[in-house]
């Protein structure tokens, strides 16, 4: 990165105006940006006006019920966002090395069925680094939340972050041996329709039955109970309350000890996977690098 001299610094616009521009461009709303920054809408508008005067061109098209970025605004917005991300990463790296607290955001099922079972080895290797796990289905905003690293489920295409695939989020029906025995065994996919289906509205069911060559229209008429997480559905399945459709990699222990059985080898795959993600600008922060190296090695050993 080239050094900035005093003249170049003098040409930079006020940081407050840039900060307001970043928030307005992200929300496409002066009101929401002002609320986030703790200022009035008039103050936010004034900062944008200062910036537009400095640049010599409008940055937003102001319409009756919405605003849009102009062409200069579209060019400036991603650069400003990247600059704030780099600044945040540099500050965090200076503030905390391989010691302190590592904040991990992850899905509930991954936390309970994988991370909790393996995290001990990471703590042994890094005793001075405390791990705080935040379980949520939402996509965290690394720039504005106290989160260092996350495990997400999806296609792996998220802007501004490094991604490492952990394992595929494939899916297949599972149930308790007792429930299977209640109908004399599950010998063909059609037998599953004789049993209660947990979360019949889950798109995975439709896709799996299509792979099995069976129509699944009747699922639409079944009670639409949804538990919100695979971990809950697995517990219901183990209790014999129905058939769940789950990602096998998250339930290896339950399948190995027979609490759940997988009646068919047929497995669906919609292209989604579980990913380790963190801000690109923070990829060399020691505590992030330590967790990344550990989890990738741990997954590789399975």
């Amino acid at each position: 990165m080239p050094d900035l001299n005093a003249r170049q610094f003098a040409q930079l616009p006020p940081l407050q105006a840039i900060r307001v521009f970043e928030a307005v461009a992200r929300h496409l709303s002066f009101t929401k940006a002002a609320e986030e920054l703790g200022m009035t809408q008039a103050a936010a508008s004034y900062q944008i006006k200062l910036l537009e005067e400095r640049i010599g061109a409008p940055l937003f098209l102001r319409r009756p019920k919405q605003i849009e970025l102009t062409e200069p605004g579209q060019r400036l917005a991603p650069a400003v966002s990247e600059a704030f991300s780099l600044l945040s990463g540099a500050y965090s790296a200076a503030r905390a090395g391989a010691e302190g607290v590592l904040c991990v955001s992850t899905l509930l099922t991954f936390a309970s069925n994988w991370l909790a079972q393996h995290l001990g080895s990471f703590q042994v290797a890094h005793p001075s680094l405390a791990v705080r796990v935040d379980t949520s289905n939402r996509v965290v905003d690394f720039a504005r939340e106290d989160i260092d690293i996350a495990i997400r489920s999806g296609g792996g295409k998220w802007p501004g972050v490094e991604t490492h695939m952990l394992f595929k989020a494939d899916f297949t029906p599972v149930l308790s041996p007792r429930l299977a025995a209640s109908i004399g065994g599950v010998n063909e996919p059609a037998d599953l329709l004789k049993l209660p289906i947990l979360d019949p509205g889950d798109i995975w069911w439709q896709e799996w039955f299509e792979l099995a060559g069976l129509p699944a229209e009747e699922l639409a008429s079944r009670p639409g109970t949804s538990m919100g997480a695979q971990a809950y559905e697995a517990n219901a399945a183990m209790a014999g309350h129905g058939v769940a459709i789950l990602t096998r990699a998250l339930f290896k222990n339950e399948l190995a000890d027979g609490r759940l059985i997988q009646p068919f080898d047929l497995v669906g795959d919609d292209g989604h996977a579980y990913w380790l993600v963190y801000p690109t600008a923070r990829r060399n922060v020691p505590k992030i690098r330590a967790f990344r190296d550990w989890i990738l090695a741990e997954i590789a050993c399975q």
Side-chain angles (χ1 to χ4, degrees), residues 120-286:
S121 65
F122 178 78
Q123 298 280 221
V124 169
H126 302 277
S128 61
L129 184 57
V131 178
R132 178 170 64 83
V133 179
D134 173 73
T135 57
S136 173
N137 288 332
R138 64 189 175 82
V139 176
V140 298
D141 185 343
F142 286 109
R144 288 158 190 84
E145 298 182 56
D146 188 20
I147 299 293
D148 297 300
I149 205 162
I151 287 88
R152 293 179 181 170
S153 175
K157 300 295 183 181
W158 298 285
V161 297
E162 297 284 318
T163 60
H164 304 270
M165 192 176 83
L166 301 178
F167 50 77
K168 290 184 176 181
D170 59 20
F171 49 91
T172 193
V174 298
L175 69 163
S176 71
R178 179 165 58 89
L179 184 62
S182 70
I183 59 169
V186 176
N187 302 307
E188 56 185 14
D191 290 336
L192 295 176
L193 296 174
K194 302 174 185 177
L195 297 168
I197 299 293
L198 298 173
D199 196 0
D202 190 331
I203 188 62
W204 280 359
W205 277 117
Q206 187 71 39
E207 293 179 6
W208 189 87
F209 276 116
E210 287 178 2
L211 288 173
L214 287 174
E217 288 80 3
E218 74 161 273
L219 291 179
S221 63
R222 297 200 179 195
T225 302
S226 176
M227 298 185 181
Q230 291 192 55
Y232 299 145
E233 293 174 7
N235 285 335
M238 286 186 286
H241 297 316
V243 188
I245 190 160
L246 307 175
T247 297
R248 297 171 302 168
L250 293 172
F251 299 94
K252 287 185 175 181
N253 292 339
E254 292 83 351
L255 289 164
D257 62 22
R259 284 177 288 164
L260 289 174
I261 59 173
Q262 178 187 338
F264 307 107
D265 292 333
L266 184 63
V267 175
D269 181 358
D270 61 4
H272 285 189
Y274 286 88
W275 302 83
L276 177 75
V277 303
Y278 48 87
T280 301
R282 303 194 64 207
R283 60 186 177 275
N284 291 320
V285 172

Side-chain angles (χ1 to χ4, degrees), residues 26-49:
R26 176 162 36 85
H27 290 293
L28 288 179
S29 167
F30 283 93
T31 301
K32 292 181 180 179
E35 290 175 353
E36 177 182 299
L37 299 175
M39 61 173 56
T40 65
Q41 182 176 342
S45 297
Y46 176 72
Q47 292 296 327
I48 295 300
K49 181 180 178 182

Side-chain angles (χ1 to χ4, degrees), residues 106-113 135-137 229-232:
T106 182
L107 303 169
L108 184 148
T109 300
F110 189 93
S112 63
N113 285 58
T135 57
S136 173
N137 288 332
Q230 291 192 55
Y232 299 145

